[in-house]
Amino acid sequence: ELPHSLVAIPLIKDHHSFGVLCCYGATAENADALVVYVDAITNALANALHLNAMRETAITDALTGLYNKRYFLEALQAELHRGIRFNRSTSLLIFDVDHFKQYNDTYGHPDGDRLLKQLGKIVKDNAGSFDTSCRYGGEEFVLILPETKPDHAYLVAEKLRQIIEHTEFPNRKVTVSIGLVTNTNSTCTPEQLLQEADKALYKSKNAGRNKTTHVIVVDKNLGAIDVEEANKIGKKAEGE
């Protein structure tokens, strides 16, 4: 055995390289033996990579490259359970493009798709490392903000809204309406959280669009509290 000898065997299948098998301190005899295992190792690597690619395809939105609705629902369930376990808040942000149907009707669906693709990149670039960004469907996007307190969640939502508002898009200016919900209640289900976020989104639309409406769930039986409305009531009470 030579202490500094090295045998390097490329792992190749169907003209694709999967790496190199290296063996230090090999002799001629055990180097020959390694060749026997190369096909098995290569096939195992190829199959693992193929399965991983299939999984990524199954949970990824093809247009935007974000996670899809299927993955979002699984991730939301997991984050809510984690928040309950560690007694921490979980926030959910949902937004859609203002007047998107009008945009499609005016400029055509290919331009509408390009707009959604650009939005997906903005969301991905501005999401935190522990956040989960997804395309929920159509022109709706969602962002899961784990372990995020209400004040910080609102800052994240407003920053995203303003970035989109000031981004140059083809054809015309684009704005979004955002519904944001922060859960502090251990019995809230993913369905209830999504429902409250959706209600907040439509509050933003009814208030003139290009706006963030933030609600907090402290008791699922009492419903969500609108933060802006609660602040107004508090200020009014202080004035009296």
Side-chain angles (χ1 to χ4, degrees):
E1 180 177 331
L2 300 176
H4 301 297
S5 62
L6 167 67
V7 173
I9 305 173
L11 305 176
I12 298 173
K13 180 180 173 67
D14 298 329
H15 307 290
H16 294 287
S17 176
F18 294 95
V20 178
L21 176 64
C22 296
C23 183
Y24 293 89
T27 64
E29 290 77 13
N30 58 33
D32 289 338
L34 280 174
V35 176
V36 177
Y37 299 103
V38 165
D39 285 345
I41 294 170
T42 304
N43 287 332
L45 283 172
N47 290 337
L49 290 171
H50 179 64
L51 288 172
N52 187 61
M54 288 179 62
R55 182 182 182 277
E56 284 298 314
T57 300
I59 61 175
T60 302
D61 175 63
L63 179 64
T64 63
L66 300 178
Y67 288 119
N68 58 20
K69 182 178 179 179
R70 172 186 170 183
Y71 182 86
F72 158 69
L73 294 174
E74 293 175 358
L76 182 60
Q77 178 93 37
E79 287 300 343
L80 271 179
H81 283 170
R82 198 156 69 94
I84 291 168
R85 181 179 179 184
F86 295 105
N87 193 29
R88 292 175 182 171
S89 302
T90 302
S91 293
L92 173 64
L93 180 161
I94 183 169
F95 76 85
D96 71 8
V97 183
D98 294 329
H99 304 297
F100 184 67
K101 184 180 183 302
Q102 182 187 78
Y103 190 99
N104 268 341
D105 291 343
T106 304
Y107 304 110
H109 289 277
D111 271 18
D113 284 348
R114 281 188 281 272
L115 166 61
L116 295 177
K117 189 173 182 178
Q118 189 174 352
L119 273 176
K121 186 177 186 308
I122 291 171
V123 172
K124 192 172 185 177
D125 289 346
N126 289 278
S129 56
F130 296 104
D131 301 339
T132 303
S133 51
C134 315
R135 182 184 178 198
Y136 189 68
E139 74 273 26
E140 286 190 327
F141 295 79
V142 288
L143 195 60
I144 303 172
L145 309 172
E147 300 185 24
T148 308
K149 294 182 179 180
D151 289 349
H152 181 64
Y154 182 75
L155 290 176
V156 170
E158 274 295 280
K159 178 185 175 184
L160 181 61
R161 183 189 65 78
Q162 291 171 19
I163 287 173
I164 293 171
E165 181 182 11
H166 295 104
T167 295
E168 287 190 13
F169 290 91
N171 303 314
R172 68 164 172 81
K173 178 180 177 179
V174 171
T175 61
V176 298
S177 296
I178 298 177
L180 173 65
V181 58
T182 299
N183 177 55
T184 61
N185 180 267
S186 62
T187 59
C188 185
T189 66
E191 293 76 18
Q192 289 168 328
L193 199 66
L194 187 57
Q195 185 180 49
E196 294 298 344
D198 207 44
K199 288 179 183 177
L201 168 63
Y202 281 94
K203 271 191 175 183
S204 291
K205 286 192 171 294
N206 292 333
R209 296 182 169 84
N210 190 25
K211 174 182 171 58
T212 298
T213 298
H214 186 196
V215 300
I216 300 177
V217 177
V218 293
D219 186 327
K220 71 172 186 177
N221 296 317
L222 297 177
I225 299 170
D226 187 306
V227 175
E228 186 177 358
E229 291 178 1
N231 287 339
K232 286 179 181 178
I233 293 171
K235 288 179 181 178
K236 186 177 179 181
E238 288 176 3
E240 293 176 353

